[in-house]
């Protein structure tokens, strides 16, 4: 009886682990392939057939990308655009999300509805009008134009995200702070913000990644190299050098680094449970 | 420390009116308990005093100053929340000193005040901990500590003991009472628990449906409830009610006949027109059972006996209506037994059958 039970349990555990493993392999295999191709010498790329690891590796693609291409420039542009977008969106969303969570005001329903509606349209539909608007105020081919567009598109979702974080913090806390002698803004800054840091970090991370990998608008609104972001730059490897897969992949790996670093930086804020103990739970 | 005056205060949420012209004068140093069933408006009234809800009509005056339009921070009140509302990212000391730090009080003074409060509440060994490392009772104490480090005009308590288990609740209740004796601070305490109200209050304010039903000492409310609501709300087990009708007077004394045929002769000092409908109330502890019932007692059937240790709650029925008696000491009756019951005339509370107000 107990033997069959533990065998059953063993089988279940095994199946579970295998499923997780299968998922991880599927999810990470493209990344592995990216890495593999980036270190494969060009001459071996087509001659060796499909191999899990090349017989010979090289850093030459990386060296070329860093020294001879415009990639460092694209990289800088992407960093500027993504960081600014993430910061602005998070600030706006924190303010708006707090208002949505705590205040009743005229037209709140309509505002929420409007925010939702903006999420329904395929972005492709909006490219032409946005290009028209931005070109008339001279914001095409400019990083600020890109930041503006990204901010506009990311704010609605970020507001909902932040609102849900504020909703999870008891109203009693800022009321207690206000009775203790704080203004509402002080209570927000000193009590609520420290408790919402995980939420802000999540929003920051989410928006950063979205802006970092955005291609469509970057491609349409920017036509000059000096204002290109790296996804546009990646496409350049297709047209300029034929398709140089080695260099393209090397650039891709380099582009991953900031995103990974950024998440390492904010991951400690992403830990849950900071609010435990505030009220009886 | 200050007196608080509440004058004809109304409160509406959109079209819903939750407080109807509430008047209440609270003396300096007095311990007032607002008690009533959920939704009676007691918490709303407290939050209006605190400045967390706007006043729709009337005025609130604290220490001679009208505070209707002052934000909470300028009212200088301390409040203890049902949820404790401790700041999770601050230590115990940080929680207690927050209000003082906001007031930019000198560091040494803050340290003294916090140490003093921690001492009174037995929190001294815990000051460096964070709320999540504390038990429910300890969190409750920190919430109290946060209130007493200041010298507020008054303490507001919003059902502070509701989240504690029964034993801890009794213990903290006693501590709150001692604390009040020690600090002598004006206190307004909201609860739905009538035992808390009885044990803590200098005066109880019984509320229902947004109006004050009675204001008085715990003894007043217990012995002379102003109406049927207060009579039924205060006291545990709850008062028994019997519907009755006034019968033709007997030598100048009112006579009452209940639905199930009980008659009460000679209610002293009460004149009632014949056939007037009324409700008789009697507390379970005043119902006499068995031998104590004496001559002329009625026969009733025992439904259920609930021993409480100190005595027993005996459920019995006349005709088809169930009532309760509290019998001190051991109860030897069992369900189904017949028992003699007497309701002493001098212990009766009489209420108007329609509007519920007290008649005797």
């Amino acid at each position: 009886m107990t033997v069959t039970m533990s065998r059953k349990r063993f089988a279940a555990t095994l199946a579970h682990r295998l499923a997780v493993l299968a998922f991880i392999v599927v999810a990470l295999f493209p990344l592995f392939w990216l890495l593999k191709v980036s270190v494969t010498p060009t001459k071996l790329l087509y001659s060796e057939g499909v191999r899990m690891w090349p017989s010979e590796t090289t850093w030459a693609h990386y060296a070329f990308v860093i020294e001879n291409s415009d990639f460092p420039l694209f990289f800088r542009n992407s960093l500027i655009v993504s960081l600014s977008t993430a910061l602005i969106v998070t600030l706006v969303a924190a303010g708006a999300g707090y208002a949505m969570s705590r205040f009743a005001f005229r037209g709140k329903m309509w505002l929420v509805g409007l925010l939702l509606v903006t999420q329904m349209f395929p972005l492709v539909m909006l490219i032409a009008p946005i290009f028209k608007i931005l070109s008339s105020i001279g914001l095409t081919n400019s990083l600020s134009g890109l930041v503006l567009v990204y901010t506009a598109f990311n704010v609605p979702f970020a507001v909902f995200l932040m609102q849900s974080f504020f909703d999870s913090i008891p109203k009693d806390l800022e009321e207690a702070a206000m009775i203790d002698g704080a203004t509402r803004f002080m209570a927000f800054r000193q009590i609520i913000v420290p408790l919402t840091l995980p939420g802000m970090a999540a929003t920051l991370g989410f928006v950063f990644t979205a802006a970092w990998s955005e291609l469509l608008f970057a491609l349409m609104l920017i036509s000059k190299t000096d204002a290109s972001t790296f996804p546009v730059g990646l496409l350049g490897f297709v047209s300029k050098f034929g398709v140089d897969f080695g260099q393209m992949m090397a650039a891709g790996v380099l582009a991953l680094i900031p995103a990974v670093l950024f998440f390492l930086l904010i991951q400690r804020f992403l830990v849950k449970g900071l609010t435990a103990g505030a009220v009886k739970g | 420390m200050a007196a608080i005056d509440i004058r004809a205060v109304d409160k509406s949420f959109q079209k819903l009116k939750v407080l109807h012209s509430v008047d209440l004068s609270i003396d300096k140093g007095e311990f007032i308990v607002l008690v009533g069933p959920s939704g009676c408006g007691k918490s709303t009234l407290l939050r209006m005093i605190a400045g967390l809800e706007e006043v729709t009509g009337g005025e609130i005056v604290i220490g001679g100053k009208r505070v209707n339009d002052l934000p909470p921070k300028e009212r200088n009140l301390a409040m203890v929340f049902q949820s404790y509302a401790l700041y999770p990212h601050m230590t115990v000391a940080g929680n207690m000193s927050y209000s003082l730090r906001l007031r930019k009080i000198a560091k040494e003074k803050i340290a003294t005040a916090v140490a003093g409060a921690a001492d009174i509440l037995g929190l001294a060994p815990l000051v460096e901990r964070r709320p999540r490392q504390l038990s429910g009772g300890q969190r409750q104490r920190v919430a109290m500590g946060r209130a007493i480090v200041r010298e507020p005009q008054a303490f507001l308590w919003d059902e502070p003991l509701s989240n504690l288990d029964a034993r801890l609740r009794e213990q903290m209740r006693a501590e709150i009472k001692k604390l009040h004796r020690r600090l002598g601070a004006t206190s307004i305490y909201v609860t739905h628990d009538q035992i808390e109200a009885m044990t803590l209050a200098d005066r109880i304010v019984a509320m229902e449906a947004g109006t004050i039903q009675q204001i008085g000492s715990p003894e007043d409310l217990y012995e002379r409830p102003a109406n049927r609501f207060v009579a039924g709300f205060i006291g545990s087990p709850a008062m028994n009610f019997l519907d009755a009708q006034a019968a033709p007077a007997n030598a100048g004394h009112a006579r009452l006949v209940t639905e199930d045929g009980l008659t009460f002769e000679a209610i002293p000092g009460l004149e009632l027109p014949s056939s007037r409908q009324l409700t008789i109330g009697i507390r379970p502890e005043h119902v006499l059972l068995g031998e104590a019932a004496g001559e002329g007692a009625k026969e009733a059937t025992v439904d259920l006996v609930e021993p409480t240790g100190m005595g027993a709650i005996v459920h019995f029925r006349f005709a088809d209506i169930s009532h309760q008696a509290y019998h001190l000491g051991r109860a030897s009756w069992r369900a189904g037994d017949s028992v003699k019951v007497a309701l002493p005339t001098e212990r009766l509370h009489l209420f108007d059958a329609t509007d519920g107000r007290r008649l005797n």
Side-chain angles (χ1 to χ4, degrees):
Chain A
M1 184 63 180
T2 47
V3 175
T4 50
M5 277 298 282
S6 69
R7 244 184 222 169
K8 251 189 189 168
R9 188 174 295 170
F10 176 76
T13 313
L14 190 70
H16 174 242
R17 295 287 150 81
L18 283 176
V20 171
L21 192 69
F23 174 76
I24 291 175
V25 168
V26 169
L28 292 186
F29 191 75
L31 283 182
F32 165 74
W33 211 249
L34 182 78
L35 193 69
K36 182 219 146 186
V37 175
S38 76
V39 295
T40 306
T42 310
K43 61 180 161 100
L44 293 183
L45 203 55
Y46 298 105
S47 59
E48 282 199 320
V50 181
R51 285 177 61 148
M52 289 308 283
W53 198 251
S55 56
E56 197 186 312
T57 60
T58 173
W59 294 105
H61 301 314
Y62 288 91
F64 182 86
V65 165
I66 291 170
E67 285 161 18
N68 299 331
S69 75
D70 285 329
F71 216 72
L73 177 67
F74 300 155
F75 209 78
R76 193 206 63 167
N77 289 344
S78 262
L79 263 186
I80 293 174
V81 169
S82 303
L83 275 179
S84 324
T85 306
L87 280 175
I88 297 172
V89 168
T90 305
L91 282 179
V92 171
Y98 183 75
M100 295 276 200
S101 168
R102 292 299 198 260
F103 303 129
F105 48 87
R106 199 181 294 265
K108 185 174 174 177
M109 279 266 290
W110 287 101
L111 198 62
V112 171
L114 213 62
L115 284 179
L116 270 176
V117 166
T118 63
Q119 301 292 289
M120 290 176 189
F121 295 101
L123 292 185
V124 188
M125 280 171 54
L126 299 174
I127 289 179
I130 284 179
F131 184 83
K132 267 283 191 196
I133 296 169
L134 288 195
S135 65
S136 66
I137 52 176
L139 281 178
T140 50
N141 276 328
S142 110
L143 294 184
S144 359
L146 221 45
V147 170
L148 187 69
V149 173
Y150 289 173
T151 303
F153 280 107
N154 279 299
V155 157
F157 181 77
V159 168
F160 289 126
L161 197 65
M162 282 313 300
Q163 183 194 348
S164 72
F165 284 109
F166 287 121
D167 282 345
S168 72
I169 293 184
K171 208 165 56 112
D172 286 359
L173 284 183
E174 68 240 66
E175 291 185 347
M178 277 151 64
I179 285 176
D180 268 348
T183 60
R184 183 173 272 281
F185 185 70
M186 282 156 85
F188 174 71
R189 214 170 41 109
Q190 297 174 350
I191 306 296
I192 304 303
V193 167
L195 298 175
T196 345
L197 281 182
M200 297 206 187
T203 309
L204 211 60
F206 173 83
V207 177
F208 181 87
T209 328
W212 185 255
S213 53
E214 207 284 335
L215 174 63
L216 193 56
F217 280 94
L219 199 61
M220 296 300 160
L221 297 179
I222 310 285
S223 51
K224 286 186 188 153
T225 315
D226 57 359
S228 283
T229 56
F230 98 85
V232 181
L234 272 188
L235 276 188
F237 286 99
V238 178
S239 51
K240 264 188 215 156
F241 310 96
V243 185
D244 194 323
F245 280 112
Q247 286 169 9
M248 195 176 181
M249 300 288 172
V253 171
L254 290 176
L256 272 177
I257 294 173
V260 171
L261 279 183
F262 190 72
F263 269 91
L264 278 181
L265 210 70
I266 61 172
Q267 62 90 22
R268 75 188 182 94
F269 296 110
L270 285 170
V271 190
K272 272 189 180 175
L274 204 65
T275 55
V279 297
K280 183 173 167 127
Chain B
M1 218 74 39
I4 298 177
D5 265 318
I6 292 157
R7 296 177 192 151
V9 162
D10 289 315
K11 175 71 186 174
S12 307
F13 292 109
Q14 274 105 46
K15 279 179 189 156
L16 183 70
K17 200 162 182 196
V18 294
L19 285 179
H20 308 268
S21 187
V22 169
D23 280 295
L24 178 62
S25 282
I26 301 166
D27 292 335
K28 227 176 182 180
E30 196 176 18
F31 201 114
I32 287 282
V33 176
L34 306 180
V35 70
S38 19
C40 72
K42 56 190 191 300
S43 278
T44 306
L45 181 58
L46 190 78
R47 290 170 57 81
M48 285 163 80
I49 296 170
L52 298 173
E53 299 282 354
E54 280 176 26
V55 177
T56 311
E59 57 180 11
I60 295 176
V61 177
I62 301 176
K65 190 172 168 195
R66 183 178 186 272
V67 298
N68 283 36
D69 304 314
L70 287 187
K73 71 182 278 253
E74 278 159 45
R75 300 192 184 195
N76 193 21
L77 301 166
M79 183 156 166
V80 178
F81 289 80
Q82 176 177 0
S83 64
Y84 317 141
L86 302 182
Y87 313 128
H89 56 305
M90 297 184 190
T91 61
V92 168
N95 266 280
M96 295 209 285
S97 61
Y98 183 63
S99 62
L100 303 178
R101 283 183 280 141
L102 284 175
R103 284 178 177 72
K104 310 237 186 298
I105 288 174
K107 273 203 173 117
E108 309 79 60
K109 273 195 175 168
I110 293 181
T112 324
V114 169
D119 234 23
I120 294 177
L121 296 165
L123 289 170
L126 305 175
V127 287
E128 289 309 317
R129 296 226 191 142
R130 280 174 205 275
R132 66 170 165 276
Q133 300 164 307
L134 302 176
S135 70
Q138 288 166 340
R139 289 180 198 173
Q140 174 63 60
R141 272 170 223 266
V142 177
M144 283 163 62
R146 201 163 59 179
I148 68 175
V149 290
R150 301 163 46 187
E151 281 164 17
Q153 302 263 49
F155 287 121
L156 309 179
W157 309 80
D158 191 7
E159 309 219 15
L161 303 183
S162 301
N163 283 349
L164 299 175
D165 61 50
R167 174 173 287 254
L168 204 51
R169 195 180 312 168
E170 275 176 30
Q171 196 185 326
M172 294 306 295
R173 201 171 69 202
E175 288 200 24
I176 290 173
K177 189 153 191 173
K178 277 187 213 154
L179 196 67
H180 179 248
R181 191 157 300 159
R182 181 168 181 161
L183 303 174
T186 312
S187 297
I188 307 176
Y189 187 108
V190 163
T191 180
H192 61 265
D193 178 352
Q194 47 103 9
I195 307 258
E196 269 171 39
M198 294 289 285
T199 50
L200 287 170
D202 291 327
R203 280 192 301 157
I204 296 179
V205 178
M207 295 181 65
E208 192 202 25
T211 53
I212 291 182
Q213 301 291 317
Q214 187 172 7
I215 304 176
S217 69
E219 295 78 14
D220 277 349
L221 266 72
Y222 180 78
E223 285 161 11
R224 290 190 58 79
N227 57 39
R228 203 191 138 149
F229 166 78
V230 177
F233 193 79
I234 301 287
S236 172
M239 188 183 275
N240 299 300
F241 293 106
L242 301 89
D243 291 328
Q245 197 174 30
N250 181 4
H253 293 301
R255 277 174 76 232
L256 303 174
V257 182
T258 67
E259 272 186 327
D260 34 21
L262 281 178
T263 53
F264 295 94
E265 305 286 339
I267 308 290
L270 182 70
E271 299 224 2
L272 286 175
S274 182
S275 84
R276 164 122 187 218
Q277 297 291 324
L278 44 87
T279 305
I280 297 177
I282 183 156
R283 296 209 177 271
E285 53 272 41
H286 296 147
V287 175
L288 302 175
L289 292 181
E291 283 175 19
E295 297 274 315
K298 268 274 185 186
E299 288 284 330
T301 315
V302 175
D303 256 354
L304 178 71
V305 178
E306 298 176 290
T308 62
M310 204 194 294
I313 301 166
V314 179
H315 298 243
F316 61 91
R317 49 178 72 233
F318 277 136
D320 249 352
I321 303 164
S322 187
H323 300 291
Q324 300 175 15
Y326 192 81
H327 180 81
L328 262 182
R330 260 184 103 88
S332 50
W333 305 282
R334 291 193 179 177
D337 285 358
S338 132
V339 63
K340 284 194 183 303
V341 175
L343 311 178
T345 321
E346 69 277 12
R347 295 292 201 181
L348 298 186
H349 304 264
L350 302 180
F351 305 103
D352 189 285
T354 36
D355 62 14
R357 92 199 131 80
R358 185 181 187 88
L359 297 173
N360 64 330

